[in-house]
Amino acid sequence: MVVSVFENVAARPGASGPARRLLGVDIGGTAIKWSIVCDGVAETGGSVPTPRIDEHAVLRAVAGLTDKVRDQVEGIGIAVPGTVDPVRRSSVFVPNLPGDWTHLAVADEMEALSGLPVALLNDARAFAWAEHGSGAAKGVANAAFFTLGTGVGGAIAFNGQILVGALDSIGEMGHVPVNPHHGELCICGGRGCLETIASASAVVGRLARTYAMSQSAVLRRLTEDGTVPLTAKLVTEYAWAIKSGP
């Protein structure tokens, strides 16, 4: 899941041997996904809801996951949906998570909570490393990567290398303004960012507003009794149902 993070953890003092079992954690705005990986191959994994309280609750939730597998892994790679400082191993700007993540020493705090070496990376770059190292972009010199979820992320491979930058932000496309004058206000403070149009949460929000008073039979069928929460998956099913007709 986060190949480059695993490589960073493996490079920490005390790591030895080519085959290590590591824990990858992807902290998202909706869910915290995890996977135990050995030599780049995911062995098992799962997810838990992201606490909507503050940053400390989120880190405690991650620590709860590590408690269950501490004896099975040698290190932890954590991916967050925002910019990070790779030198200080801290988050810099993470708009889609609850709490204040500004200059939060994520790696240090998680090491204190887990007792394991921790590496921190932006989630889109983590995704790009994984796909470039062992996935769809393996062997490709130049590629663009997009992550679509609660927000929108991106990364770029050039001449066989994932571009990173001082704040691990090269390729971060979610907050590029595409409709700066008339677009919706973004959580980052800008207006008309790509994330306000293309993210799963934006798509769901638009459908909810558009069809709040809808009597659509298709939408009623998809939501069964009318109480099922709208999700990006449901929106996709709705779109296909409209395309297919009654």
Side-chain angles (χ1 to χ4, degrees), residues 146 152 173-179 192-199 202:
F146 288 91
V152 174
M173 305 171 195
H175 298 288
V176 172
V178 294
N179 188 9
C193 295
L194 178 62
E195 189 166 294
T196 67
I197 299 171
S199 68

Side-chain angles (χ1 to χ4, degrees), residues 128-129 131-145 156-162:
W129 274 104
E131 291 299 322
H132 195 255
S134 57
K138 184 176 182 179
V140 177
N142 304 308
F145 305 85
I156 297 171
F158 180 70
N159 285 341
Q161 299 293 322
I162 304 298

Side-chain angles (χ1 to χ4, degrees), residues 15-33:
S16 61
R20 285 177 293 276
R21 185 168 282 102
L22 301 162
L23 174 65
V25 179
D26 178 11
I27 304 177
T30 303
I32 300 172
K33 301 174 183 177

Side-chain angles (χ1 to χ4, degrees), residues 32-193:
I32 300 172
K33 301 174 183 177
W34 62 274
S35 182
I36 294 178
V37 176
C38 185
D39 280 348
V41 178
E43 296 182 339
T44 186
S47 67
V48 297
T50 302
R52 303 306 303 174
I53 305 172
D54 58 23
E55 70 277 16
H56 302 297
V58 174
L59 293 184
R60 285 195 298 269
V62 176
L65 293 174
T66 64
D67 286 343
K68 299 176 182 179
V69 300
R70 182 183 288 111
D71 295 337
Q72 304 175 44
V73 300
E74 299 181 42
I76 306 169
I78 296 179
V80 296
T83 54
V84 304
D85 184 331
V87 175
R88 294 181 173 83
R89 304 191 305 142
S90 62
S91 55
V92 176
F93 175 65
V94 186
N96 287 316
L97 295 181
D100 183 6
W101 292 75
T102 306
H103 303 302
L104 180 65
V106 176
D108 288 345
E109 289 200 22
M110 284 308 307
E111 285 184 347
L113 290 170
S114 68
L116 292 169
V118 173
L120 179 68
L121 193 69
N122 166 271
D123 60 349
R125 249 71 66 208
F127 162 72
W129 274 104
E131 291 299 322
H132 195 255
S134 57
K138 184 176 182 179
V140 177
N142 304 308
F145 305 85
F146 288 91
T147 58
L148 300 176
T150 303
V152 174
I156 297 171
F158 180 70
N159 285 341
Q161 299 293 322
I162 304 298
L163 304 183
V164 178
L167 293 179
D168 195 9
S169 61
I170 294 179
E172 194 62 48
M173 305 171 195
H175 298 288
V176 172
V178 294
N179 188 9
H181 301 298
H182 305 291
E184 295 183 13
L185 185 65
C186 182
I187 193 171
C188 74
R191 185 173 291 279
C193 295

